[in-house]
Amino acid sequence: MMYNAIYRQSYLFFLLNTINRQAGNRFILPALLSVFVSCKQNSRPDVSGDSMRIKVERFDEDLFVGKGKDIIKTDVILKKKYGTFYRDYITRIVGDGNYSGPQILSTLYKDKAYTDLNNEASSVFPNMKNIESDLAQAFKYIKYYYPKSKTPKFISFISGFAVQTPIGDDYLGIGLDMFLGKKSKFYRGIVKSIPVYISRRFSPEYVVPRLTETFAREELFSERDEDRTLISKMIHNGKILYFMDQVLSEALPDSLKIGYTSKQLEWCKTYEADIWGFFLENNLLFETDYQKIQVYLSEGPFTPGLGDKNQSAPKLGIWMGWQIVRKYMEENKEVTLQQLMAETDEEFILNRSKYKPK
């Protein structure tokens, strides 16, 4: 049976959505207080004394083990072990609250596509050692800068491409079926729902950057409702990426942080002055009409109106905001990371950055 046919038959499991659905799957996100710790930028703190260890809980494996066994018993076991996550998985990730745990499990176990997906995820992720190590290092830095932040449990799962990194009140999920590698046969079957320019980033090397970004955006630095100008959104997103600069491995390419191809990143560097000139000439920085500015913030294969033959990179406003923030921190070396993230005056950051690409 062709994958698309299997996909259509399982409404409960293959309830597709775009990546933007993950914003609606944060469920319960307690506000975390930030504290200012003395640490100058461009100087990595020593976190070697932190004994933090992270273990990714393999819900995907525990769920699959129950196939062919007593469903009622499996439901009880999973509910006891995974608590809040299991409830969210049944009622919000693969279900909608209208079906019980045993009903959802029964549907999954009967679905060949679920079995195939699980098998591929197991082959791509036989263990999580490298991911656990990288996550531990990133969250040591996060804990250093924001001691009151609560490091979540990390739980891997399969959802049928419903959500990539859902976040709840005590966990951060890893949708393994959305990190199988850009050449996965499954992604060719869902191209109408999730286009290639998005699914090309469904690779293992994106796991840690995306989890870190999700935690930063949803737990630490939520965007303010009053920030409606393009420049405010540029600076907010630029600060998120700069934060990732400081907590992720220094060897991690910028392309993995922002989700660009190497060619897109080079295009941005080559035409940085032209992009900035375009924003200035068209009076876009203080534009508040979302229909006009969203094209410079949203995912896409390219940014319309910029570049020849659709060769421009997408979400150029976000990339440019990142460069402004980097320049601001370069020009103001006394500013700490915490002070940067707490600063809400985007014009102040822009002016003090002295940003004038040539």
Side-chain angles (χ1 to χ4, degrees):
M1 182 180 293
M2 294 297 291
Y3 174 73
N4 282 344
I6 298 173
Y7 169 82
R8 288 193 295 269
Q9 289 179 359
S10 182
Y11 173 76
L12 284 176
F13 181 60
F14 289 108
L15 186 60
L16 281 179
N17 211 327
T18 62
I19 294 301
N20 290 335
R21 178 177 169 183
Q22 72 184 29
N25 276 274
R26 54 188 297 272
F27 308 147
I28 303 171
L29 296 174
L32 297 176
L33 296 177
S34 63
V35 295
F36 288 85
V37 180
S38 177
C39 179
K40 298 297 177 66
Q41 47 119 353
N42 296 328
S43 177
R44 289 243 169 171
D46 181 6
V47 296
S48 59
D50 188 333
S51 60
M52 180 187 294
R53 296 289 184 271
I54 285 178
K55 179 69 176 178
V56 176
E57 299 180 40
R58 296 297 297 262
F59 174 79
D60 56 302
E61 293 181 346
D62 289 342
L63 175 62
F64 194 72
V65 165
K67 185 176 182 180
K69 298 181 180 179
D70 186 308
I71 287 180
I72 301 298
K73 184 177 181 180
T74 297
D75 177 62
V76 171
I77 292 172
L78 294 174
K79 188 181 300 181
K80 181 178 180 180
K81 181 174 181 178
Y82 290 97
T84 301
F85 173 79
Y86 184 61
R87 180 200 67 198
D88 292 340
Y89 185 80
I90 294 300
T91 63
R92 302 189 184 192
I93 296 178
V94 298
D96 59 8
N98 292 318
Y99 302 89
S100 68
Q103 287 175 313
I104 295 291
L105 296 182
S106 177
T107 300
L108 293 179
Y109 292 149
K110 292 176 182 178
D111 196 322
K112 184 179 182 299
Y114 162 70
T115 299
D116 291 344
L117 259 183
N118 189 83
N119 290 339
E120 181 159 336
S122 295
S123 67
V124 175
F125 298 98
N127 64 71
M128 307 294 281
K129 291 181 180 179
N130 290 338
I131 289 173
E132 290 167 343
S133 176
D134 290 345
L135 281 174
Q137 192 66 13
F139 275 81
K140 283 179 185 180
Y141 285 120
I142 291 174
K143 198 72 173 177
Y144 176 90
Y145 290 119
Y146 295 90
K148 291 187 178 181
S149 64
K150 183 181 179 181
T151 302
K153 293 184 296 186
F154 294 90
I155 303 175
S156 62
F157 65 94
I158 299 293
S159 71
F161 318 110
V163 58
Q164 189 177 44
T165 54
I167 187 167
D169 60 357
D170 64 351
Y171 70 83
L172 186 47
I174 310 171
L176 296 183
D177 48 334
M178 301 181 84
F179 291 107
L180 297 176
K182 61 184 179 180
K183 294 183 179 180
S184 171
K185 63 182 179 182
F186 291 102
Y187 301 150
R188 295 192 294 270
I190 58 173
V191 67
K192 290 184 178 180
S193 298
I194 303 178
V196 174
Y197 66 81
I198 291 179
S199 65
R200 69 165 184 79
R201 301 198 297 268
F202 289 0
S203 294
E205 63 267 26
Y206 278 96
V207 171
V208 175
R210 293 291 69 78
L211 290 172
T212 305
E213 180 181 11
T214 297
F215 186 80
R217 289 185 181 281
E218 305 295 352
E219 287 292 301
L220 296 177
F221 316 113
S222 298
E223 187 172 15
R224 303 187 310 162
D225 291 338
E226 57 266 40
D227 291 339
R228 299 184 177 182
T229 63
L230 177 59
I231 187 61
S232 66
K233 294 182 180 299
M234 289 168 63
I235 296 297
H236 173 75
N237 284 284
K239 290 196 296 183
I240 296 292
L241 285 162
Y242 185 83
F243 177 81
M244 293 169 66
D245 285 339
Q246 306 310 304
V247 302
L248 292 172
S249 169
E250 293 177 279
L252 189 76
D254 284 353
S255 57
L256 291 183
K257 296 171 193 169
I258 195 171
Y260 280 171
T261 64
S262 57
K263 287 185 178 180
Q264 288 172 334
L265 189 61
E266 285 305 311
W267 187 92
C268 287
K269 292 177 180 178
T270 300
Y271 296 103
E272 183 175 1
D274 298 292
I275 300 167
W276 183 238
F278 176 85
F279 284 164
L280 295 179
E281 291 167 11
N282 289 277
N283 299 313
L284 289 171
L285 295 186
F286 298 97
E287 179 62 65
T288 59
D289 185 336
Y290 190 70
Q291 293 300 315
K292 290 183 179 180
I293 66 176
Q294 60 86 26
V295 69
Y296 308 111
L297 304 167
S298 302
E299 295 287 0
F302 56 89
T303 297
L306 282 159
D308 296 328
K309 300 179 181 179
N310 299 335
Q311 293 179 343
S312 63
K315 53 186 181 184
L316 289 175
I318 293 176
W319 182 81
M320 186 135 287
W322 192 10
Q323 309 318 305
I324 293 171
V325 171
R326 281 176 164 176
K327 188 66 164 58
Y328 170 75
M329 294 301 280
E330 180 183 324
E331 292 290 330
N332 301 275
K333 298 187 183 300
E334 75 284 357
V335 176
T336 66
L337 176 63
Q338 297 91 338
Q339 289 170 335
L340 167 69
M341 301 310 292
E343 179 59 66
T344 59
D345 188 339
E346 63 277 358
E347 289 187 60
F348 176 81
I349 291 177
L350 175 60
N351 292 333
R352 290 287 297 275
S353 73
K354 301 178 184 178
Y355 182 70
K356 292 181 181 179
K358 300 179 180 179

